[in-house]
Amino acid sequence: MALRTWMMCALAAVAIVDRAVADDGYDPHADVIALRHTDEALRETYAKGKRMMLPRVLLFDAQMKPLVAQFGWGPTMERKLDLALKKHEPMPSPITMEMTLGETLTPSGHAVTVAELPKADGYVVDYWAVWCGPCHAFERDIIKQMHRWHDQGKRVVWLKIESDPEKLSKDRKS
């Protein structure tokens, strides 16, 4: 019961923040693409006894080159993402947007390709789960940051990937 109450408070706080910063009519939710990890990716990510930190955050530039890859959440995350997008210094990494999208599906079960993504100055990839408290804090902060980017004339698309091993049904966990 306490978790449900906490979640309701978190959702109410997000709604208040959304209304407070939405004075120019910009709706950051229009730039959010909801995805979910495939069953195979969930099995691999959360192999028996293995726990992954959430949120896991990536930032790609307009050319789909990785700028930031981070586990966990901290109060300086928005600043780190903003600086990375401004500096535009791709990091050496085997992570690609194709690889990221290859492990995901839309909520209705369809694959998404890079070519189908809207054109943007950057792409935030966020792996989250309903039970993850820091994920909810990051959601609030990324919405505020998307408003700042919008005010700077930048469009950033948020790929919000649900990565919750509890979503695998018992018959598909093995």
Side-chain angles (χ1 to χ4, degrees):
M1 187 67 149
L3 178 62
R4 182 178 172 166
T5 302
W6 183 90
M7 286 175 46
M8 296 299 282
C9 290
L11 290 173
V14 168
I16 290 167
V17 168
D18 285 346
R19 281 194 299 272
V21 293
D23 54 8
D24 68 352
Y26 170 65
D27 179 10
H29 294 95
D31 287 328
V32 176
I33 299 174
L35 299 168
R36 66 177 173 83
H37 246 147
T38 63
D39 290 346
E40 296 79 23
L42 279 172
R43 271 191 227 94
E44 186 176 318
T45 300
Y46 298 96
K48 192 167 186 140
K50 185 175 166 186
R51 285 289 288 173
M52 293 297 290
M53 287 181 59
L54 290 175
R56 296 187 308 258
V57 180
L58 303 167
L59 175 65
F60 290 90
D61 65 12
Q63 291 77 39
M64 307 294 175
K65 294 186 173 131
L67 301 174
V68 172
Q70 179 156 337
F71 288 99
W73 175 87
T76 61
M77 178 63 86
E78 303 148 82
R79 187 167 176 258
K80 184 175 186 174
L81 294 175
D82 192 39
L83 286 173
L85 196 58
K86 283 179 185 171
K87 285 184 177 180
H88 192 266
E89 295 174 359
M91 57 186 246
S93 173
I95 300 169
T96 65
M97 184 64 85
E98 290 85 1
M99 178 191 322
T100 302
L101 291 176
E103 296 179 339
T104 66
L105 298 171
T106 65
S108 61
H110 300 326
V112 176
T113 65
V114 169
E116 294 172 288
L117 293 177
K119 299 293 179 212
D121 298 298
Y123 301 87
V124 172
V125 178
D126 167 30
Y127 295 87
W128 69 281
V130 170
W131 46 263
C132 171
C135 297
H136 294 285
F138 180 71
E139 179 175 12
R140 177 197 64 229
D141 293 339
I142 194 63
I143 291 290
K144 287 191 308 188
Q145 183 59 47
M146 288 176 75
H147 276 277
R148 283 194 216 66
W149 281 322
H150 173 75
D151 292 346
Q152 297 167 9
K154 294 179 183 167
R155 180 180 186 197
V156 176
V157 173
W158 179 11
L159 304 174
K160 191 174 177 185
I161 302 171
E162 184 177 26
S163 181
D164 189 347
E166 300 301 317
K167 298 294 178 162
L168 273 172
S169 64
K170 293 193 187 317
D171 60 321
R172 296 187 305 184
K173 285 187 180 179
S174 50

